[in-house]
Amino acid sequence: MRTVVSPEEVLIQMPIPPPAMAAGSYPPPRGAVSIANYKKLMCHVDQLSKACRASSSSWIESMKESSPTYLSADSDWKRRYPSALSKFDEITAASMGKKIVVFLDYDGTLSPIVEDPDSAFMTESMRAAVKGVAKYFPTAIVTGRCIDKVFSFVQLEELFYAGSHGMDIKGPTKCPKHIKTQAKSVLFQPANEFLPMINEVYNLLLEKTKLIPGCKVENNRFCLSVHFRCVEEKRWSGLIEEVRSVLANYPDLRLTQGRKVLEIRPTIEWNKGKAIEFLLENLGFDNCEDILPIYIGDDRTDEDAFKVLRDRQQGFGILVSKFPKETNATYSLKEPSEVKDFLLRLAEWKRFSVKDGLKV
């Protein structure tokens, strides 16, 4: 298994330093506390403060790297993670005699990454490509967005939707024949108890970040997103400190990072990888060897799903990225337009296979 070297999800420990004092000054000791012991205490506080600053610095560097604009011509990377389009015949050959299940991220996969997250619309041609795939294969959208928001973008009733990084899962309301009956009414929300807390933190973050131009806080129901794509880089340090100051009082929430976005999620053991395992089980494929899951995504949160497929030695992860980076995926595509081309080819291949009577 390949090791992912892009910045990992981090559970932040956030000690809060006491009010700053003038250098070298110490207030009179209280009670039995000696000057010497107080100096030791202040030295410890200073160390904690330095640790906080170092942690903030590492997060700023990670924020800078979260959405690179360069494109490296790395031939070795292209060899290790070849294009899913150029290797299409290899993928379909591996699926012979197996049932394909398709999992798709949304932002950066089915739609381009845009400055305003509320404007991340998918094209009609992409919608048609997804609809074509769903006609032949069980298909799910697995996203950090809330289900209502992503459904308003996709507008396809025949899909499964796993929102909030898989913490809100619903089955299709319009089922193709290849979807088993028990999977049609699936509804799973493992983080329900966190809803009041998440809503409370959402309101606090709105207040804390309202004076940071370009910052947008999005409530994805079971998780929160703090978008900083439109925030000036010089304000990133202040932004991360505001977010950390809020979360210091909520140890049951963790802070992670995606592409120009800070993610706040419950500390439960649940992610996109767990979500696709849950969906495969509900589709009746949990212990089946004759399935081929395909997961397409662009973000570090999709690595959990790629890893599940690699560990199962079943199916393929396809990373959507214009630049080389380590991944648990098997293949790559450069951008959403290539994702569309891949989905169109997959549906066309299945249609001709069915027409010719092949067992695929």
Side-chain angles (χ1 to χ4, degrees):
M1 183 183 71
R2 300 180 178 89
T3 302
V4 180
V5 298
S6 55
E8 298 288 344
E9 295 186 353
V10 181
L11 177 60
I12 305 299
Q13 301 295 331
M14 291 166 285
I16 301 178
M21 298 182 61
S25 64
Y26 301 94
R30 296 182 181 179
V33 180
S34 69
I35 290 288
N37 286 338
Y38 191 81
K39 287 183 177 181
K40 289 181 181 179
L41 174 63
M42 292 306 296
C43 180
H44 178 64
V45 167
D46 183 59
Q47 290 174 349
L48 284 178
S49 298
K50 289 179 179 177
C52 282
R53 290 193 294 271
S55 178
S56 295
S57 177
S58 65
W59 266 83
I60 295 301
E61 290 305 311
S62 180
M63 290 165 77
K64 290 179 181 178
E65 295 170 0
S66 66
S67 188
T69 56
Y70 60 84
L71 177 61
S72 173
D74 187 340
S75 59
D76 180 62
W77 188 85
K78 292 178 182 177
R79 177 185 58 80
R80 291 166 60 196
Y81 310 106
S83 167
L85 288 171
S86 66
K87 295 294 184 178
F88 185 81
D89 291 341
E90 182 176 284
I91 295 172
T92 54
S95 73
M96 296 302 291
K98 299 180 179 180
K99 303 178 183 69
I100 293 177
V101 185
V102 178
F103 299 100
L104 303 166
D105 181 29
Y106 184 77
D107 293 278
T109 300
L110 299 182
S111 74
I113 297 293
V114 295
E115 291 188 351
D116 180 6
D118 290 333
S119 300
F121 304 110
M122 68 190 306
T123 63
E124 287 298 329
S125 58
M126 179 66 85
R127 183 174 294 105
V130 175
K131 187 177 182 67
V133 164
K135 179 179 179 181
Y136 297 108
F137 314 110
T139 302
I141 305 295
V142 186
T143 175
R145 301 269 197 163
C146 70
I147 284 182
D148 291 343
K149 172 64 75 173
V150 78
F151 181 80
S152 72
F153 288 146
V154 180
Q155 300 175 21
L156 294 175
E157 297 178 348
E158 57 266 47
L159 308 183
F160 290 86
Y161 289 88
S164 301
H165 299 287
M167 289 181 282
D168 191 8
I169 301 177
K170 292 182 180 179
T173 55
K174 177 182 177 183
C175 289
K177 295 179 180 179
H178 54 71
I179 301 294
K180 295 185 177 182
T181 303
Q182 70 268 27
K184 296 178 180 178
S185 58
V186 61
L187 174 63
F188 186 61
Q189 297 173 333
N192 242 330
E193 64 183 285
F194 292 90
L195 277 177
M197 182 187 302
I198 290 170
N199 288 329
E200 184 175 316
V201 171
Y202 171 68
N203 290 324
L204 288 172
L205 287 173
L206 284 178
E207 182 65 25
K208 284 280 190 177
T209 63
K210 67 181 181 181
L211 298 180
I212 301 178
C215 179
K216 181 176 179 61
V217 183
E218 184 177 12
N219 189 336
N220 294 310
R221 193 175 188 197
F222 293 99
C223 63
L224 303 173
S225 298
V226 181
H227 299 273
F228 61 89
R229 182 169 297 277
C230 296
V231 176
E232 290 182 285
E233 187 175 319
K234 65 182 181 181
R235 296 181 179 271
W236 289 359
S237 178
L239 173 61
I240 188 65
E241 287 308 314
E242 293 290 5
V243 173
R244 285 156 55 97
S245 70
V246 171
L247 294 185
N249 298 315
Y250 296 90
D252 290 330
L253 299 178
R254 60 174 173 158
L255 178 64
T256 64
Q257 189 182 332
R259 293 179 64 181
K260 292 291 181 73
V261 62
L262 300 173
E263 303 274 9
I264 297 159
R265 293 188 253 170
T267 55
I268 62 173
E269 290 296 321
W270 198 262
N271 53 45
K272 290 183 176 182
K274 296 285 188 182
I276 68 171
E277 288 183 315
F278 175 85
L279 285 167
L280 288 172
E281 179 181 351
N282 276 268
L283 284 163
F285 298 146
D286 187 33
N287 296 311
C288 295
E289 296 184 0
D290 62 339
I291 63 165
L292 189 96
I294 296 175
Y295 188 106
I296 307 178
D298 74 305
D299 198 65
R300 69 189 61 182
T301 59
D302 299 307
E303 291 295 332
D304 294 315
F306 295 153
K307 186 177 184 299
V308 163
L309 298 186
R310 186 173 289 278
D311 290 349
R312 290 168 66 113
Q313 297 183 340
Q314 193 174 49
F316 302 114
I318 301 176
L319 173 69
V320 184
S321 179
K322 288 184 176 181
F323 56 90
K325 60 182 178 181
E326 286 295 321
T327 178
N328 285 301
T330 305
Y331 300 103
S332 65
L333 293 168
K334 290 182 179 179
E335 54 194 359
S337 63
E338 288 197 352
V339 175
K340 181 185 69 175
D341 292 342
F342 179 83
L343 296 178
L344 289 171
R345 284 188 66 178
L346 190 61
E348 182 182 29
W349 167 80
K350 180 65 175 181
R351 180 167 62 87
F352 279 108
S353 299
V354 170
K355 182 178 178 182
D356 294 339
L358 299 177
K359 184 180 180 181
V360 297

